[in-house]
Amino acid sequence: MDPAALKNSWALVAKSGDEVPLFFYSHLFLSHPEVREMFPVSMAAQRDKLVGALGAVVSNAAQIDEVVPFLQQLGRDHRRFSVVAEHYSAVGASLLATLQHFLGAAWTSELAADWAEAYGLVATVMVQSAEESAEEYPAWWSGEVLGVDRRTMDVTIVQIHPERPLEYRPGQSVAVEIPYRPRRWRYYSPANAPRSDGSFELHIGLVPGGQVSGPAVRSLKRGDPVRIGAPVGDTLKLPEDGRDLVMIAGGTGLAPFRAMLEQLDRRAQSSQVPRVHLFHGARMPWNLYEHKQLTSLTRRPWFSYTPVVSDDSSYPGERGQVGAVAAARGPWTDRTALVCGSPAMVRHTVADLTEAGVPTTAIHTESLGITTSAGSQQ
């Protein structure tokens, strides 16, 4: 297998832009129409998610050891779309046909063999991981909406009860499918520590143009059925070394921190817990949707809270980007920093903290890997 040839050929194909996924999906659905039902009814938001990620991962298969954990998680995740080993063959055939179409004369027998070998390695890891996980837990959990609280114009709090126990750790995320957007799964982080009855709370923020967030915020109601994927994520969690913490959240990125704070509050009843300073950022003051609850929690000697508003010049408290405000309130060099929010907010915050002297090894963010599943994440 020639790693350079794989990377160079994929770079050439990628230059064709949107024509690549169009050809790929046309070939896949025409040759294997039975897989069409695994994808959203509207493919507008799908774009190059699947074929783009496949090309990027497979063309780097020579370093497969570095991405094995990601591929294993990907294989487990795809179980919720009822993907089985035969479907990997169908996708692989369409991927090779797409490469051949766009590379033309550059598609040699040697290159074809390299791509087939690379895809085979990737698919094998994913299939084996899926088969192993099937022995431990279901492809998804059925659940029911217990209650809905439209907290603000942009945020809805949803209480969900799975029909069977779903074990997760504060900071992890679960994929959720709502009845109004079938086959479109969206990751959310439970906002509470595990409860004895198994129920959990989701904070759903309205995303402009979002395919899932709109109906989730506006339409979900008590009694609605939902499907829930297995918990994922291992980078955003309470450190085991007991170091003090600074938590920086943007919008509904607050959810995993609410779960962690609840967990710490339980521990504080019987043991010492680290000091925590939470910064929660929102565009407007009414989007500080947990302000009363967090202010009440400041009665705990270990907890401090600073709300930050970015778009209201009349706001009497801290104003600006939450990451910049948090970095300026340091130094935090003796603390572990946990950051969660939109991709842009996380990038800015990590840069601000690093510039303020916080070691990158002490900054933890949520990482769920590249989304290549049939359901887009919006």
Side-chain angles (χ1 to χ4, degrees):
M1 186 165 54
D2 185 345
L6 291 172
K7 290 184 178 181
N8 292 337
S9 58
W10 178 247
L12 287 174
V13 172
K15 289 181 179 180
S16 296
D18 290 342
E19 294 181 19
V20 178
L22 286 174
F23 184 93
F24 170 82
Y25 287 118
S26 296
H27 187 280
L28 179 62
F29 295 156
L30 286 172
S31 58
H32 294 276
E34 71 277 8
V35 306
R36 180 62 181 90
E37 65 181 16
M38 297 179 179
F39 292 80
V41 174
S42 171
M43 294 292 291
Q46 185 68 25
R47 296 189 299 274
D48 64 347
K49 283 183 171 65
L50 177 58
V51 68
L54 276 175
V57 172
V58 176
S59 64
N60 285 279
Q63 293 83 37
I64 194 170
D65 289 345
E66 300 177 9
V67 293
V68 162
F70 164 66
L71 293 175
Q72 290 173 331
Q73 184 62 60
L74 206 58
R76 293 190 289 267
D77 285 352
H78 274 70
R79 290 180 54 219
R80 65 177 183 264
F81 298 101
S82 301
V83 174
V84 295
E86 292 79 4
H87 297 138
Y88 286 90
S89 294
V91 169
S94 292
L95 176 64
L96 296 180
T98 301
L99 292 164
Q100 181 182 29
H101 175 79
F102 287 98
L103 288 172
W107 183 251
T108 64
S109 58
E110 292 81 6
L111 186 59
D114 283 347
W115 270 95
E117 180 182 356
Y119 180 80
L121 289 172
V122 168
T124 297
V125 172
M126 293 176 64
V127 168
Q128 289 179 339
S129 179
E131 292 173 346
E132 291 170 0
S133 69
E135 299 177 1
E136 301 178 16
Y137 53 82
W140 65 77
W141 283 253
S142 295
E144 179 183 356
V145 175
L146 295 179
V148 177
D149 174 11
R150 186 72 178 268
R151 187 66 59 83
T152 73
M153 292 176 285
D154 302 326
V155 177
T156 291
I157 308 297
V158 181
Q159 303 290 338
I160 291 178
H161 187 270
E163 66 177 8
R164 55 190 298 183
L166 175 68
E167 296 182 2
Y168 67 90
R169 184 195 68 245
Q172 288 188 301
S173 296
V174 295
V176 177
E177 180 196 52
I178 64 174
Y180 309 103
R181 287 295 184 269
R183 300 189 296 280
R184 289 193 182 277
W185 294 76
R186 177 72 163 84
Y187 280 105
Y188 297 101
S189 186
N192 59 279
R195 299 167 178 164
S196 59
D197 68 353
S199 66
F200 58 89
E201 176 179 301
L202 301 181
H203 296 178
I204 303 178
L206 188 62
V207 178
Q211 296 293 314
V212 174
S213 65
V217 167
R218 301 187 186 103
S219 304
L220 271 179
K221 62 184 182 299
R222 180 181 175 86
D224 276 346
V226 295
R227 295 201 297 178
I228 309 151
V232 299
D234 60 5
T235 56
L236 195 67
K237 59 185 177 181
L238 290 172
E240 298 178 357
D241 58 11
R243 275 169 57 96
D244 290 340
L245 304 169
V246 56
M247 297 177 175
I248 307 172
T252 53
L254 175 66
F257 299 149
R258 286 284 287 111
M260 294 179 193
L261 292 173
E262 187 175 311
Q263 185 178 48
L264 288 172
D265 201 32
R266 292 178 184 175
R267 291 180 184 174
Q269 298 175 20
S270 58
S271 62
Q272 185 175 355
V273 296
R275 292 179 300 157
V276 178
H277 194 134
L278 169 70
F279 292 83
H280 183 210
R283 294 185 181 279
M284 301 299 289
W286 49 80
N287 285 328
L288 296 167
Y289 63 94
E290 290 280 75
H291 183 68
K292 290 183 179 179
Q293 294 85 342
L294 294 172
T295 299
S296 176
L297 193 61
T298 60
R299 291 197 294 264
R300 307 294 196 268
W302 52 270
F303 181 68
S304 302
Y305 161 58
T306 301
V308 182
V309 170
S310 62
D311 292 3
D312 179 9
S313 60
S314 67
Y315 181 68
E318 294 280 1
R319 298 197 303 269
Q321 291 187 330
V322 64
V325 171
R329 289 281 297 271
W332 307 110
T333 52
D334 61 339
R335 298 199 182 199
T336 295
L338 304 179
V339 183
C340 191
S342 70
M345 174 268 174
V346 171
R347 286 195 301 270
H348 294 154
T349 300
V350 170
D352 290 334
L353 290 173
T354 302
E355 186 175 351
V358 180
T360 55
T361 55
I363 304 173
H364 301 280
T365 64
E366 183 180 52
S367 177
L368 302 179
I370 302 172
T371 298
T372 64
S373 52
S376 60
Q377 306 300 309
Q378 295 185 48

